[in-house]
Amino acid sequence: MTAALEVAVTRHIGTFTLDVSFRVDSGTSVLFGPSGTGKSLTLALIAGLIRPDTGTISISGRVVTDCARRIDVTPQDRRIGMVFQDGLLLPHRSVIDNVALAVRQVKGRRARRTVARSWLERVGAAGLADRRPATLSGGQRQRVALARGLAGDPSLVLLDEPLSALDLEVRREMRAAIREVITSSGVPAVLVTHDAEEAEELGDVIIAYDDGRVTGTRPVARTESPERRDDDSHRTESA
Amino acid sequence: MKRKHSFWPTPSGRQKVAALVGVAVLGLGLGFGVAHLAAGYIAYWGVVSGPFLLTLRVASAAMLIAGVTGVAGGYLLAKGRFPGRGLLETVGSLPIILPPTVMGYYLLEVLSPGTRVGGLLTRVVGHTLIYNSAGCVIAAGVAAFPFCMRAARAAIEGVDPALELAARTMGMPEWRVALVVTLPLARRGIGAGLTIGSARALGEYGATLIVGGDIDGRTRTLSLAILDSFTTPERDTMILILVLMGAMAMTGVGLLARSPR
Amino acid sequence: MTTVVPRAWLNWLGIPPWVWNPLSVSLRAASEATIVVAVVGTALGYILATGRWPGRGAIETVCSLPMALPPTVVGYYLLTRLGGPGPIRTAEVDLLGHPLTFSFHGIVIAQIVESFPYCLRLSRAAISDVDPRLANTARVMGLTRARVALLVTLPLARRGIVAGVALAFGRALGDFGATMIISGSVPMATTMPIALYDAIIDGTHHQAMVLALVQLGVAFTILLGVSRLGRVRAW
């Protein structure tokens, strides 16, 4: 099976050196580690916003960066979705326009809006369609940002500390929502966070970062079964 | 937190009073001016209409050209390093302090069918570019261009690059990023540049005089006509018309630049 | 007509009178105008930049009017105000012995009016850009407002201020429309732009070429100097 993402790159910035190599097959991989260890830099490299010094990156089996062969696909051609820490929604367009702008698999304004609307429903933001980003709360904004990131039918979605700018309460609420939307969409995801709880709750695989290197990879043990929430009698303790 | 989206931002109490006073003064002044204008206009329609309509045509055409090229030039300067960048910057800024007669002189040199460049241009375009309204348009456009370009550049540089980055990850090609993100967010500054550019284009005198030749009916714009009829009664009417045109152009562009989508 | 540099030197350098006369008029008028503009413009720019009262924007807009108005309209306005009957004209005659219109000093006034906005706007922008915390710190250290301005704010804004003065000087040198109306192209008061216009009309191509080239060189040099002062914030 082709990997959703294969990364093997190095990059120097000042005195900092990033040297990482990992692979994502499916599901959500979390880049976890303290601040300043190169996690967001890795995302920027995957997205094509920055070029590595050496190495290769492939998305869904397609080489998008190869320093030796001088291959560097532009961010717009990489078929990725990106969710930023502060949303970065276009302030002068409505919510539905923001999401519709990301839709590229269909043509025509109405078709795009329909796709956008369905995504807004999936993230629980259907009622916000005609609002302006400046009028949204932090949690609402990130929901819209998530919808925008997924609406373009990407092969991979990147989330750069999507919940870090939110209040603790909102953050906890949003975790379940994010997890649900991403897993049900089936799109492989790479998520950056420095919050351990978040990493455990959102990830299928945790890739640990320290000082510009990957120090370990481990799968997340999931103890919950789908009916956990409503029916105690079906609950089984996992081994 | 639902907020009603109105065209104008809701004003505070003090601002309302100030606005009221301003409107009253403006109304009175405008009323006087319009009355005088109407009287003069009707009386001197024959003499005044020619320059007025000519100025209208020339300034509109000049602003179209200067606006588009100015924004394009400003975008290029804001965005990248390219060969000839320094040239664009300096040459594009020259008309700000270059004496209008000097500009007129060199424009005449470049556009005259007698010279090599001028001959080529004349053949390409199809008709001469001096001593007719085309020359006036060029003179006014050149005068307005640097203001449009500089303002556009500053405004475009002020747009948050992170938003452009986000748009790229959404799959938009560069030209769409410019059209959908950069330019709309820069519209205030661009509008200011167009405003002052149109003021320049309307009032252009020295270069228009030389390139156009002050030919009655053909190249005598309002600015020129005011001087030619300095001792005649039509002069005041022409001045009023020119000032009014300037005010309307500036308000119009200002409003356009301000409107939320 | 008196010149700053002795005629003999000019002849020796090969600079003909039809260049030097308008050049010296332009330089003298522009210098006088720029001195006034620099002082008043910077002072007003400082007041507008550091003040906190409403109406600041309005004052700047009103002072910027000459930039937006056609030069012929500005010239007309000055001519009627300075030359027409009234208290201003009587004051002029009392002070100078002759009215300002159609005279050297009338040109200076016209240039002051036309170039003032350039200096004002640029110095206001430059002073606004200075971190207000620096001025606050200085005040806390015990400096009076005047000393804060002279020792802290203005020196930090000097690049923008110098750029504004330079641009104003260039604008004064290059003024045509307003100068034309106020001076009426009297030989005593012919500036470079007007001399060029006369040369073009008269058909003396050689003179026109030289005059145009000199002015182009001056404008170019000023622009180069201004851009060296760093990225000047647009209006």
Side-chain angles (χ1 to χ4, degrees):
Chain A
M1 180 183 82
T2 11
L5 172 69
E6 285 184 60
V7 176
V9 290
T10 67
R11 168 80 198 205
H12 302 269
I13 296 189
T15 51
F16 177 81
T17 303
L18 179 78
D19 185 356
V20 294
S21 166
F22 60 87
R23 165 192 175 119
V24 173
D25 283 314
S26 66
T28 307
S29 301
V30 174
L31 304 185
F32 172 70
S35 303
T37 45
K39 312 185 297 295
S40 297
L41 177 58
T42 310
L43 280 196
L45 288 165
I46 298 172
L49 299 170
I50 304 182
R51 233 182 260 172
D53 292 330
T54 70
T56 62
I57 302 176
S58 312
I59 299 179
S60 291
R62 172 183 171 224
V63 174
V64 295
T65 303
D66 186 333
C67 293
R69 289 190 288 161
R70 310 258 180 131
I71 297 179
D72 183 24
V73 177
T74 63
Q76 34 265 76
D77 290 329
R78 293 195 180 205
R79 300 216 54 122
I80 51 164
M82 203 152 173
V83 181
F84 299 88
Q85 187 175 4
D86 29 354
L88 288 187
L89 301 176
L90 300 179
H92 57 291
R93 302 287 274 254
S94 66
V95 159
I96 183 106
D97 279 339
N98 260 278
V99 181
L101 277 169
V103 177
R104 37 186 164 190
Q105 61 272 24
V106 294
K107 297 244 178 279
R109 191 155 183 263
R110 201 171 305 165
R112 289 210 189 110
R113 285 195 147 209
T114 316
V115 174
R117 219 172 277 278
S118 74
W119 275 107
L120 282 177
E121 276 176 36
R122 284 176 78 160
V123 299
L128 305 174
D130 297 312
R131 300 263 295 264
R132 285 283 162 109
T135 65
L136 302 176
S137 70
Q140 292 171 323
R141 194 190 54 214
Q142 294 306 87
R143 283 181 199 262
V144 175
L146 182 61
R148 186 179 74 172
L150 291 168
D153 193 26
S155 332
L156 182 68
V157 64
L158 308 172
L159 302 101
D160 192 353
E161 309 229 23
L163 305 178
S164 301
L166 305 176
D167 294 333
L168 207 51
E169 284 306 306
V170 183
R171 219 188 289 180
R172 294 216 174 103
E173 243 173 69
M174 291 286 298
R175 278 188 213 151
I178 291 191
R179 173 88 190 151
E180 203 275 314
V181 174
I182 294 186
T183 28
S184 65
S185 73
V187 179
V190 180
L191 186 146
V192 163
T193 181
H194 56 265
D195 183 327
E197 267 186 48
E198 207 167 282
E200 293 286 333
E201 192 169 330
L202 296 179
D204 297 310
V205 174
I206 295 192
I207 302 174
Y209 262 62
D210 192 15
D211 198 22
R213 314 188 82 107
V214 172
T215 54
T217 312
R218 65 171 173 87
V220 172
R222 298 227 160 258
T223 56
E224 73 220 54
S225 62
E227 288 85 44
R228 177 178 70 98
R229 267 172 308 147
D230 7 75
D231 197 339
D232 264 0
S233 63
H234 286 273
R235 187 173 182 151
T236 41
E237 293 289 318
S238 85
Chain B
M1 195 214 338
K2 201 142 166 58
R3 187 175 78 183
K4 186 158 69 104
H5 298 289
S6 54
F7 189 79
W8 302 107
T10 46
S12 71
R14 200 190 299 172
Q15 285 177 330
K16 278 188 198 154
V17 173
L20 235 65
V21 171
V23 167
V25 170
L26 200 68
L28 276 164
L30 224 58
F32 262 133
V34 169
H36 193 173
L37 190 66
Y41 203 63
I42 295 168
Y44 306 121
W45 166 255
V47 183
V48 161
S49 64
F52 165 60
L53 292 169
L54 178 67
T55 306
L56 199 63
R57 277 172 27 222
V58 166
S60 315
M63 271 320 293
L64 204 62
I65 299 175
V68 170
T69 49
V71 171
Y75 185 84
L76 283 172
L77 283 179
K79 285 304 171 189
R81 319 220 143 271
F82 56 93
R85 181 200 164 95
L87 193 68
L88 181 62
E89 247 186 297
T90 354
V91 172
S93 303
L94 263 183
I96 296 179
I97 55 170
L98 195 66
T101 46
V102 178
M103 188 143 67
Y105 174 78
Y106 283 114
L107 278 177
L108 200 62
E109 290 290 300
V110 169
L111 299 171
S112 282
T115 64
R116 294 182 57 192
V117 182
L120 188 66
L121 279 171
T122 315
R123 261 190 314 242
V124 166
V125 174
H127 59 89
T128 53
L129 294 168
I130 57 172
Y131 302 135
N132 60 15
S133 53
C136 294
V137 171
I138 294 177
V142 170
F145 174 75
F147 293 92
C148 299
M149 188 180 79
R150 288 180 81 111
R153 176 192 184 167
I156 290 172
E157 283 176 349
V159 171
D160 186 359
L163 289 170
E164 294 170 345
L165 236 72
R168 279 188 205 113
T169 63
M170 295 197 304
M172 286 195 226
E174 277 309 313
W175 62 268
R176 269 209 101 197
V177 175
L179 235 54
V180 172
V181 183
T182 321
L183 291 181
L185 287 171
R187 68 176 176 274
R188 276 265 177 107
I190 293 179
L194 290 177
T195 305
I196 202 133
S198 40
R200 281 320 191 108
L202 277 169
E204 222 297 312
Y205 177 62
T208 313
L209 192 58
I210 295 178
V211 177
D214 196 17
I215 305 167
D216 194 11
R218 267 251 215 110
T219 58
R220 186 168 290 173
T221 60
L222 271 177
S223 296
L224 274 59
I226 288 175
L227 234 84
D228 289 328
S229 39
F230 209 71
T231 47
T232 66
E234 303 96 66
R235 179 199 63 191
D236 284 339
T237 312
M238 291 197 221
I239 291 180
L240 267 173
I241 294 180
L242 195 55
V243 172
L244 206 64
M245 282 175 89
M248 280 169 55
M250 290 172 78
T251 337
V253 177
L255 279 176
L256 272 172
R258 200 183 297 261
S259 63
R261 206 186 145 269
Chain C
M1 143 150 240
T2 53
T3 55
V4 175
V5 171
R7 264 185 214 289
W9 290 22
L10 296 174
N11 288 331
W12 182 79
L13 279 170
I15 299 179
W18 48 264
V19 169
W20 184 250
N21 281 337
L23 187 59
S24 79
V25 171
S26 277
L27 285 174
R28 276 175 48 212
S31 308
E32 290 186 24
T34 308
I35 291 177
V36 174
V37 166
V39 171
V40 180
T42 313
L44 189 59
Y46 182 82
I47 294 174
L48 291 180
T50 53
R52 225 160 287 284
W53 31 278
R56 291 181 297 158
I59 292 202
E60 187 166 345
T61 315
V62 167
C63 290
S64 305
L65 270 180
M67 252 171 90
L69 285 174
T72 43
V73 174
V74 175
Y76 159 78
Y77 186 78
L78 283 175
L79 193 66
T80 48
R81 285 277 155 270
L82 296 175
I88 301 181
R89 190 191 164 105
T90 19
E92 295 164 24
V93 180
D94 287 340
L95 281 172
L96 296 166
H98 61 87
L100 278 172
T101 51
F102 308 110
S103 78
F104 177 77
H105 284 96
I107 297 181
V108 176
I109 302 278
Q111 291 182 352
I112 289 178
V113 171
E114 289 279 16
S115 60
F116 185 74
Y118 291 77
C119 179
L120 176 68
R121 292 178 78 109
L122 277 168
S123 61
R124 206 264 319 146
I127 295 172
S128 295
D129 279 346
V130 173
D131 190 346
R133 294 177 300 179
L134 292 167
N136 291 340
T137 315
R139 296 229 55 217
V140 168
M141 292 197 301
L143 290 158
T144 61
R145 269 193 226 277
R147 297 202 80 201
V148 171
L150 282 166
L151 295 175
V152 179
T153 319
L154 288 177
L156 284 170
R158 72 181 176 281
R159 289 193 149 198
I161 295 177
V162 171
V165 172
L167 225 51
F169 182 66
R171 181 63 183 79
L173 277 177
D175 186 55
F176 179 64
T179 308
M180 178 94 148
I181 294 186
I182 266 249
S183 74
S185 80
V186 169
M188 281 293 285
T190 305
T191 58
M192 285 287 276
I194 295 181
L196 174 60
Y197 175 67
D198 289 336
I200 295 176
I201 295 295
D202 292 339
T204 48
H205 294 293
H206 175 62
Q207 294 193 4
M209 189 179 71
V210 173
L211 288 169
L213 207 59
V214 169
Q215 290 178 83
L216 182 64
V218 170
F220 206 76
T221 317
I222 293 181
L223 263 186
L224 226 59
V226 168
S227 66
R228 278 290 161 77
L229 286 166
R231 275 283 294 119
V232 175
R233 235 219 289 172
W235 343 91

